[in-house]
Amino acid sequence: MGRVIGVIAIKGGVGKTTISSSLAASLANEHNRKVLLIDANYSAPNVGLHMDIVKPECTIHDVLYGKLTLYDAIHRKFNVDVVPGSYFYTKKINPLKLKQKVQEVKEKYDFIIIDSSPALNEEILSSICASEHLFVVTTPDYPTLACSLRAAKLAKNRGKPIDGIIINKSRMPDYELDLRDIEKAVEIPVLAKIPDDKTNIKALFERMPTSIYDKKSKFAKEISKLAGVLVGAPESVKWWQKWIFGVGKDAINRQVLKKSYYEKMFNSVVGGNKDE
Ligand SMILES: Nc1ncnc2c1ncn2[C@@H]1O[C@H](COP(=O)(O)OP(=O)(O)OP(=O)(O)O)[C@@H](O)[C@H]1O
Ligand SMILES: [Mg+2]
């Protein structure tokens, strides 16, 4: 049964699409899972540019406008089923139909990743309502953190507490909010701290997810850890890394999240057997 994960933020340019594309590619290629990636940034849909889909024939806009299903708009790239958006759609769509469209295909996938819009209107609500799990992407600075707080509140009010924060584009840690400050302010665990990595620029130029373009890059390695948690794989930390750096709070948070995901799953299976 598919897990539906929304990647949200109320600020543009923090890395939602970059992270969504690489997470989808990592789940599909490193972990052999069936993955659907949906572009739910209806005003500025960029997923196609990250997944080498330049002129999509059918898009999320067509799906939300008419009677098409998500299957009708799938473009298969990098072993991921991708539903891109259209820059040029002029008809009025209903973003809140996304939830129903996702439910129709959910059983066929292990993971459905929804790349959200930052627009504080029905565009972001579309992703929040359609998702079962939410990750907020933030950069480690006060203005973006304030927006992340707002996103967290919005999701909470909709009965969708956020599973974790992804701190992206860390450049100068000495001049940035640290992981514990962010956790304290937002009261949500930080699941990953991703450095600013120029590999992303090269990957985007080649229209490839960074996890595929260079899986040894710092960015791809952090995404790979996150994907590992989602599939319940053990996270290996080399002994010398543990010795020098200790175990990071983000790594501990990932283990806690993994336990909560898989305990829930285990309990529901056990519960199911009891009823039989
Ligand atoms: N860790 C990173 N290091 C360096 N560049 C990054 C990183 N993450 C994302 N970028 C770059 O930042 C830019 C914005 O990223 P992206 O489009 O993913 O943001 P977004 O949150 O989806 O924006 P929008 O809200 O407009 O959809 C892109 O050029 C991308 O390559
Ligand atoms: Mg985007």
Side-chain angles (χ1 to χ4, degrees):
M1 202 179 70
R3 275 184 197 278
V4 189
I5 297 172
V7 180
I8 67 166
I10 295 183
K11 197 141 190 237
V14 291
K16 297 178 290 300
T17 309
T18 311
I19 290 169
S20 301
S21 309
S22 276
L23 187 59
S26 172
L27 287 165
N29 293 283
E30 285 176 61
H31 299 287
N32 210 15
R33 295 306 199 274
K34 272 206 88 184
V35 185
L36 174 65
L37 171 64
I38 302 172
D39 196 338
N41 187 347
Y42 311 109
S43 310
N46 288 331
V47 166
L49 295 177
H50 288 253
M51 300 297 287
D52 198 25
I53 305 164
V54 183
K55 283 188 186 158
E57 288 181 7
C58 189
T59 65
I60 189 69
H61 292 79
D62 297 300
V63 173
L64 297 178
Y65 176 74
K67 292 205 168 90
L68 299 180
T69 68
L70 286 165
Y71 291 132
D72 296 312
I74 283 170
H75 298 63
R76 182 108 179 127
K77 288 280 172 170
F78 307 107
N79 289 326
V80 176
D81 283 356
V82 186
V83 175
S86 163
Y87 286 103
F88 308 109
Y89 210 80
T90 48
K91 294 177 201 153
K92 175 118 180 81
I93 58 161
N94 178 5
L96 297 178
K97 257 168 59 179
L98 181 66
K99 182 176 179 174
Q100 175 216 324
K101 298 288 179 184
V102 166
Q103 290 301 318
E104 286 167 9
V105 303
K106 197 180 145 201
E107 296 302 315
K108 297 277 181 234
Y109 290 95
D110 297 312
F111 293 96
I112 298 178
I113 310 285
I114 302 178
D115 175 32
S116 166
S117 156
L120 195 53
N121 54 23
E122 57 183 17
E123 290 212 19
I124 194 170
L125 281 183
S126 156
S127 296
I128 291 177
C129 295
S131 303
E132 293 161 350
H133 303 278
L134 291 170
F135 295 149
V136 175
V137 182
T138 189
T139 48
D141 54 86
Y142 280 113
T144 312
L145 185 64
C147 292
S148 305
L149 257 169
R150 211 156 164 214
K153 265 197 192 136
L154 183 71
K156 209 172 170 188
N157 290 343
R158 294 267 153 182
K160 293 271 168 69
I162 287 168
D163 282 358
I165 299 184
I166 300 171
I167 305 175
N168 192 27
K169 299 191 187 182
S170 171
R171 283 177 200 155
M172 298 175 77
D174 288 349
Y175 297 91
E176 292 170 350
L177 293 167
D178 86 356
L179 187 152
R180 281 167 207 274
D181 295 334
I182 292 178
E183 280 193 347
K184 215 164 144 194
V186 189
E187 294 178 342
I188 299 169
V190 171
L191 297 176
K193 193 169 179 196
I194 308 179
D196 191 88
D197 182 350
K198 291 191 174 60
T199 315
N200 285 292
I201 300 168
K202 298 182 194 166
L204 185 55
F205 184 75
E206 301 291 343
R207 292 200 293 269
M208 289 169 88
T210 310
S211 300
I212 301 284
Y213 178 81
D214 180 1
K215 67 177 183 193
K216 295 213 164 96
S217 65
K218 286 181 183 166
F219 181 90
K221 280 185 183 163
E222 289 304 316
I223 294 293
S224 176
K225 288 181 199 167
L226 200 56
V229 167
L230 296 179
V231 301
E235 183 169 330
S236 67
V237 184
K238 294 195 174 69
W239 69 265
W240 57 267
Q241 285 174 327
K242 249 192 225 169
W243 190 60
I244 299 173
F245 305 113
V247 179
K249 180 80 169 55
D250 53 337
I252 295 168
N253 289 340
R254 282 193 291 273
Q255 295 316 308
V256 173
L257 184 77
K258 184 165 79 182
K259 201 160 169 250
S260 81
Y261 274 16
Y262 285 89
E263 241 166 34
K264 252 186 238 161
M265 202 185 251
F266 177 73
N267 287 342
S268 70
V269 171
V270 173
N273 286 345
K274 261 189 214 156
D275 289 340
E276 278 167 13

